[in-house]
Amino acid sequence: MNTALSWIKAYVPELNCTDQEYCDRMTLTGTKVEGYERLDKNLEKIVVGEIKKIEKHPDAEKLIVCQVNVGEEEIQIVTGASNVKEGDKVPVVLDGGRVAGGHDGAPLPEDGIKIKAGKLRGVPSNGMMCSIEELGSGRDMYPEAPEEGIYILPADAAPGEDAVALLGMRDTVFEYEITSNRVDCYSVLGIAREAAATFEKPFVPPVIKVKENGEDVKDYISVEVQDKDLCSRYCARVCTNIKIAPSPEWMQRRLAASGIRPINNLVDITNYVMEEFGQPMHAFDLDTVAGRKIIVRRAKDGDEFQTLDGQVRKLDSEILMICDAEKEIGIAGIMGGENSKITDNVKTVLFEAATFNGPNIRKSAKRLGLRTDASGKFEKGLDPRNAKAAIDRACQLIEELGCGEVVGGTVDVCEPLKPLNVLPFEPEKYNALLGTQVSEEQMLAIFKRLEIEVRENQAGGKELVIPSFRQDLAGRADIAEEVARFYGYDKIPVTLPKSTATTGKLSFKLRVEQKARDIAEYCGFSQGMSYSFESPKVFDKLLLDEDDKAREAITIANPLGEDFSIMRTLSLNGMLTSLSTNYNRRNKDVRLYEMGNIYIPRKLPLEELPDERMQFTLGFYGEGDFYTLKGVVEEFFESIGMSERMVYDPEAGKNFLHPGRQANIFYKDTLVGFMGEVHPEVCDNYSIGTKAYVAVLDMPVILPYATFERKYEGIAKYPAVMRDISMEVPKEVLAGQIEAVIAQRGGKILESYRLFDIYEGNQIKEGYKSMAYSISFRAKDRTLEEADIAGTMKKILNGLEQLGAQLRQ
């Protein structure tokens, strides 16, 4: 689809932008511009010249010497053109100007050709008169131009006037890539409507008023549609006293810019309306239509028909034909027939504008091997309401251009038109789909620009009435796309898509569990599996209190034996049993993990299914200690996006863990698990003769905090500043409390902190311990100054003093 910018501006008169701005903004709102070309490219210092005097060249038989008035002066030009005479107005490129190319049909040079004053066979020449080819165009766009020679301008052109503007070349032709669902944009009006909405300018479509004579069209023609499944609407109008002549220059220029060769006023009008409205039309010589009747029906198998291109086409019963009372006169939606073509002797014209079945037109064109501009539009499925407007526009132009008289009325054979599509107005759902916060007022403004009517429904809410030319707007997603197009794709924040679909991948829950397995195995743990059935004696081996809720287990109705008579409420027995087996088989440095459910009854005796909770259990003995296990746990949390600081509460109160080496793990004040060293007595109960460590993480609690979304942050541009602090703190103060103060008071410039030394001994006063931290500061937008660091460090030290910490001297 190609359009000249001047044609767009005819319907959007307030449009004022550069070519590149038009290209960029139209593309961003969904009307993709593939490229553009200025018609005046490489045309510089070209004016209207009037030839005042012509003399023969003294030394060259084929050259002439012309005195040319170019406005403010008269210059001498030597030329070899044979078609000029005194008094002619011609385009003249002045000294230092530039033309697009030569007249020999060679490819146009990228930068054009610069013209300089010089001598031709000894006679000075101060410019050049131009052919249409030298102006970068041709006879397709300017059919009145001579095949060889200088282009002759209109006699009323003023010497010195801009010849490029006079020829309509101060224009730009844009090439669009239109998707098949946007049938409305296969027209200049459709593109103009999009441009008006994009630049928020008024859209001014042509006002159609047909001046008719007093006759009745029904006295001239009747229409019968036999195959209504292939033709939902057929409009016919008649024009009399036709006068064939060239169409006006403005129409020729617009058609040529769209890639259509001007022919005469009648043909040009049908092509013009096809480009303007996107509605193909056809004109028949009414005197060749037998019986003054049009019949729309399928062809018969084996029929032959000669089209306007002189080719004989073989037909079948799936091809729709336009017929008169005796014969076929056109292939519907594809091409007219040789037997009804318009000639220079035509007196009465029958105009046709119809809506044909798109898939049928596409298949027929393929079978015939004949694809035309008209079939290319019909096959996409046209708006039936557009046919009447288009045929009226054609008749309006017939009358305005003096091409003929319009007979009153229209023969309109039409199936009942489908009501306009109505969709609910759902701004919250549009925003949820787009990930935006567009206000209702902004959406209503966008819909107004798109000619989408907003009205109240019976329930008191709002609904959207979709215009007939927007057949692509069929559901919520389509409306949301319209909001996104004109709100601005560049304004939509970057978010990762969210979906509960599992097609082709693991569900979110399984991905988190798989990440737990990956981290455990990366840290040297091997997977173990244990039974969900256990013995009631397990609770005593784990030193659980008599009133501990974990003792409330589900009893199996038909157990294999007492050792498998209840469902486990803790995952530790299986882990400790496995560690015990490995220890007693003299395996060193054993690390195991298990992903398995525990079963918590909601009520006993059972009335409903228990709460099955997946537990991520880690256990090891040998090389490592409490902090080794803590590192594995934090590695897992970081891998699933739980980036905020964990809080470890040593008052966990787990009987099966060492009283001074255990902790409950909290994330955002939520208990997500526990960890610690196994109580020595429990180790004895399981025949483990060394220190063992376990951690249990409750996966259902962790899942809401997990995320795999990651936001990229670039490499730091500015240097970091390091500060080390060494302090004496009361023994009861935990490292987590100190780190909480550093994190809270470090502000935006705090990058990281690390405990690198802890010491208790004779050099530290009784009841205290020495702790040393390395703290890193960095700003994202500047280099930090000493004042920034000093202020932040003061806040941190004031907070640490409240914990009883004192800087070591």
Side-chain angles (χ1 to χ4, degrees):
M1 178 74 188
N2 292 353
T3 67
L5 185 59
S6 59
W7 200 349
I8 300 298
K9 287 183 175 180
Y11 310 126
V12 192
E14 296 183 19
L15 181 62
N16 185 19
C17 61
T18 65
D19 295 338
Q20 190 60 52
E21 183 182 3
Y22 180 88
C23 177
D24 293 341
R25 293 188 63 177
M26 290 292 283
T27 299
L28 279 175
T29 55
T31 308
K32 184 180 180 183
V33 180
E34 285 286 287
Y36 63 88
E37 182 178 2
R38 287 204 59 87
L39 298 182
D40 59 356
K41 181 181 178 183
N42 295 327
L43 301 182
E44 300 174 7
K45 297 179 70 174
I46 301 177
V47 300
V48 176
E50 181 182 4
I51 301 176
K52 289 294 189 179
K53 186 178 181 181
I54 298 178
E55 297 177 335
K56 289 186 177 182
H57 193 289
D59 295 324
E61 184 178 343
K62 294 184 178 180
L63 296 179
I64 57 176
V65 181
C66 303
Q67 305 301 321
V68 183
N69 176 16
V70 292
E72 296 182 353
E73 61 178 331
E74 192 170 290
I75 63 175
Q76 179 172 288
I77 298 176
V78 179
T79 180
S82 59
N83 69 316
V84 294
K85 62 183 185 298
E86 292 181 359
D88 281 347
K89 307 287 180 64
V90 296
V92 174
V93 56
L94 303 176
D95 179 29
R98 193 179 299 272
V99 293
H103 61 277
D104 54 0
L108 299 181
E110 183 65 27
D111 298 325
I113 299 174
K114 192 168 185 178
I115 303 300
K116 296 181 180 180
K119 291 184 177 181
L120 288 179
R121 300 291 292 270
V123 176
S125 181
N126 298 313
M128 185 181 79
M129 293 182 280
C130 303
S131 67
I132 198 65
E133 289 78 14
E134 287 164 332
L135 296 175
S137 189
R139 298 186 71 247
D140 282 346
M141 191 162 184
Y142 296 86
E144 73 280 8
E147 290 188 17
E148 295 181 1
I150 304 302
Y151 184 83
I152 308 300
L153 295 170
D156 58 354
E161 183 182 356
D162 184 348
V164 178
L166 183 66
L167 288 168
M169 289 186 177
R170 299 293 185 201
D171 203 353
T172 308
V173 177
F174 290 87
E175 180 184 357
Y176 306 87
E177 179 185 320
I178 308 297
T179 53
S180 295
N181 65 318
R182 290 303 306 272
V183 182
D184 58 305
C185 287
Y186 282 91
S187 67
V188 176
L189 284 176
I191 298 290
R193 191 179 282 112
E194 287 288 302
T198 296
F199 289 91
E200 300 184 42
K201 301 295 183 182
F203 172 61
V204 185
V207 178
I208 303 175
K209 292 183 179 179
V210 183
K211 184 177 179 181
E212 302 172 341
N213 63 21
E215 298 178 285
D216 187 352
V217 69
K218 294 180 181 177
D219 296 334
Y220 282 84
I221 195 69
S222 63
V223 176
E224 177 187 351
V225 179
Q226 294 182 357
D227 293 286
K228 296 181 179 180
D229 58 323
L230 300 184
C231 177
S232 58
R233 188 172 196 179
Y234 192 99
C235 298
R237 297 202 68 159
V238 174
C239 296
T240 61
N241 299 323
I242 297 298
K243 302 177 183 66
I244 300 296
S247 55
E249 285 190 12
W250 61 266
M251 180 176 285
Q252 292 186 34
R253 304 292 179 263
R254 290 179 179 179
L255 289 174
S258 299
I260 298 175
R261 184 171 63 88
I263 297 176
N264 57 49
N265 52 3
L266 188 59
V267 176
D268 290 353
I269 285 172
T270 59
N271 287 333
Y272 184 87
V273 173
M274 178 175 72
E275 291 299 301
E276 185 180 45
F277 278 76
Q279 171 67 53
M281 295 183 57
H282 191 68
F284 299 99
D285 185 342
L286 187 59
D287 293 332
T288 65
V289 178
R292 297 288 179 102
K293 183 175 184 178
I294 292 293
I295 302 173
V296 184
R297 61 168 176 80
R298 283 177 165 87
K300 297 177 182 178
D301 288 331
D303 283 356
E304 293 185 344
F305 180 71
Q306 187 176 17
T307 48
L308 278 171
D309 59 359
Q311 299 293 316
V312 176
R313 313 283 176 177
K314 290 187 177 181
L315 310 176
D316 60 52
S317 59
E318 291 302 314
I319 296 176
L320 190 67
M321 300 298 294
I322 309 299
C323 310
D324 59 20
E326 298 175 356
K327 61 187 181 300
E328 296 95 346
I329 57 175
I331 303 176
I334 301 177
M335 186 177 281
E338 180 73 20
N339 55 12
S340 61
K341 70 178 181 180
I342 299 293
T343 66
D344 291 343
N345 299 321
V346 65
K347 298 300 180 184
T348 306
V349 167
L350 169 66
F351 278 119
E352 162 198 285
T355 306
F356 300 117
N357 181 276
N360 175 264
I361 295 297
R362 180 180 62 81
K363 293 175 182 177
S364 298
K366 188 173 182 180
R367 285 199 299 274
L368 292 169
L370 178 62
R371 196 171 189 273
T372 61
D373 289 340
S375 68
K377 286 181 166 59
F378 274 121
E379 67 187 23
K380 294 173 177 64
L382 300 183
D383 173 17
R385 288 177 169 83
N386 198 36
K388 179 66 166 60
I391 201 170
D392 287 345
R393 174 64 166 163
C395 291
Q396 177 190 22
L397 292 172
I398 288 286
E399 192 277 328
E400 289 181 352
L401 301 184
C403 185
E405 297 180 13
V406 181
V407 174
T410 305
V411 177
D412 188 0
V413 179
C414 181
E415 289 293 287
L417 295 175
K418 294 181 180 179
L420 296 178
N421 192 18
V422 178
L423 299 174
F425 178 51
E426 303 170 310
E428 298 85 3
K429 293 182 179 178
Y430 306 150
N431 278 324
L433 193 61
L434 298 173
T436 56
Q437 297 293 328
V438 183
S439 68
E440 183 174 326
E441 290 72 21
Q442 287 177 290
M443 292 186 187
L444 293 176
I446 290 171
F447 296 150
K448 183 178 180 180
R449 284 149 55 191
L450 293 173
E451 301 181 35
I452 298 174
E453 180 187 351
V454 182
R455 69 186 185 191
E456 287 193 6
N457 56 26
Q458 296 180 350
K462 292 185 176 70
E463 60 186 13
L464 307 176
V465 183
I466 309 302
S468 63
F469 57 81
R470 290 303 304 273
Q471 300 179 46
D472 58 307
L473 302 183
R476 179 189 305 151
D478 302 317
I479 299 298
E481 182 183 9
E482 297 303 294
V483 173
R485 287 202 302 135
F486 293 100
Y487 172 70
Y489 289 117
D490 54 325
K491 297 179 184 177
I492 297 176
V494 177
T495 56
L496 292 175
K498 296 180 180 179
S499 173
T500 56
T502 61
T503 305
K505 66 175 185 178
L506 297 174
S507 67
F508 181 75
K509 173 179 177 293
L510 293 180
R511 288 178 68 195
V512 174
E513 292 175 4
Q514 184 59 51
K515 180 60 71 173
R517 295 186 182 93
D518 292 343
I519 294 298
E521 292 171 7
Y522 172 77
C523 294
F525 288 73
S526 299
Q527 185 171 12
M529 299 183 69
S530 56
Y531 291 114
S532 297
F533 302 154
E534 291 184 337
S535 168
K537 298 176 183 179
V538 165
F539 303 130
D540 294 331
K541 293 176 70 175
L542 293 173
L543 308 181
L544 295 186
D545 295 332
E546 290 297 327
D547 59 349
D548 196 305
K549 293 286 291 183
R551 288 182 177 268
E552 297 178 7
I554 301 167
T555 303
I556 298 171
N558 55 341
L560 297 175
E562 185 181 3
D563 290 344
F564 303 98
S565 60
I566 63 171
M567 302 294 291
R568 65 178 178 181
T569 56
L570 293 169
S571 61
L572 287 175
N573 176 63
M575 177 59 67
L576 293 175
T577 301
S578 298
L579 291 177
S580 173
T581 301
N582 279 275
Y583 179 79
N584 288 287
R585 292 181 179 174
R586 303 181 184 278
N587 289 328
K588 296 180 179 181
D589 300 327
V590 173
R591 297 186 176 194
L592 298 175
Y593 78 91
E594 180 185 7
M595 295 291 297
N597 285 335
I598 60 172
Y599 304 86
I600 309 299
R602 304 179 194 276
K603 186 178 180 182
L604 288 175
L606 282 180
E607 295 181 355
E608 57 181 318
L609 292 174
D611 181 14
E612 299 186 25
R613 306 186 69 81
M614 178 65 70
Q615 306 290 287
F616 178 30
T617 307
L618 296 161
F620 80 93
Y621 66 80
E623 184 179 352
D625 55 16
F626 178 90
Y627 297 104
T628 303
L629 187 59
K630 181 171 177 280
V632 176
V633 170
E634 292 188 346
E635 180 81 12
F636 165 62
F637 285 142
E638 184 178 353
S639 71
I640 59 172
M642 296 171 66
S643 56
E644 294 189 19
R645 193 174 62 86
M646 300 290 166
V647 176
Y648 297 87
D649 179 11
E651 303 298 328
K654 307 293 184 185
N655 293 0
F656 43 80
L657 297 178
H658 193 293
R661 299 168 190 164
Q662 60 175 277
N664 278 334
I665 306 171
F666 289 88
Y667 184 77
K668 294 184 177 181
D669 298 327
T670 301
L671 178 64
V672 295
F674 61 86
M675 61 177 293
E677 180 183 327
V678 180
H679 196 288
E681 188 176 339
V682 175
C683 282
D684 290 342
N685 291 339
Y686 281 91
S687 301
I688 302 175
T690 187
K691 292 181 180 180
Y693 300 88
V694 293
V696 178
L697 303 179
D698 191 17
M699 297 302 285
V701 177
I702 291 172
L703 280 176
Y705 297 111
T707 176
F708 290 105
E709 295 180 3
R710 301 291 184 268
K711 184 177 180 180
Y712 170 76
E713 293 187 3
I715 298 173
K717 297 181 180 179
Y718 301 94
V721 179
M722 307 296 296
R723 288 289 185 272
D724 291 346
I725 56 172
S726 179
M727 53 197 163
E728 294 180 350
V729 298
K731 285 187 177 181
E732 63 272 14
V733 175
L734 303 176
Q737 293 174 275
I738 294 175
E739 292 173 1
V741 171
I742 296 174
Q744 179 184 3
R745 300 194 172 218
K748 294 183 178 179
I749 64 173
L750 177 66
E751 182 176 57
S752 63
Y753 50 84
R754 179 177 63 88
L755 174 67
F756 67 86
D757 183 61
I758 185 167
Y759 170 75
E760 294 182 37
N762 296 331
Q763 299 178 10
I764 306 301
K765 62 183 178 181
E766 188 175 352
Y768 281 75
K769 57 187 175 183
S770 172
M771 300 182 72
Y773 277 88
S774 178
I775 306 175
S776 173
F777 299 98
R778 192 195 306 264
K780 294 182 179 180
D781 57 347
R782 58 195 171 90
T783 299
L784 291 174
E785 298 179 356
E786 181 60 32
D788 300 317
I789 308 301
T792 303
M793 285 299 300
K794 185 176 180 181
K795 292 180 183 179
I796 293 173
L797 294 175
N798 288 341
L800 294 175
E801 285 179 4
Q802 296 176 18
L803 297 177
Q806 301 175 1
L807 285 179
R808 292 186 66 184
Q809 301 301 323

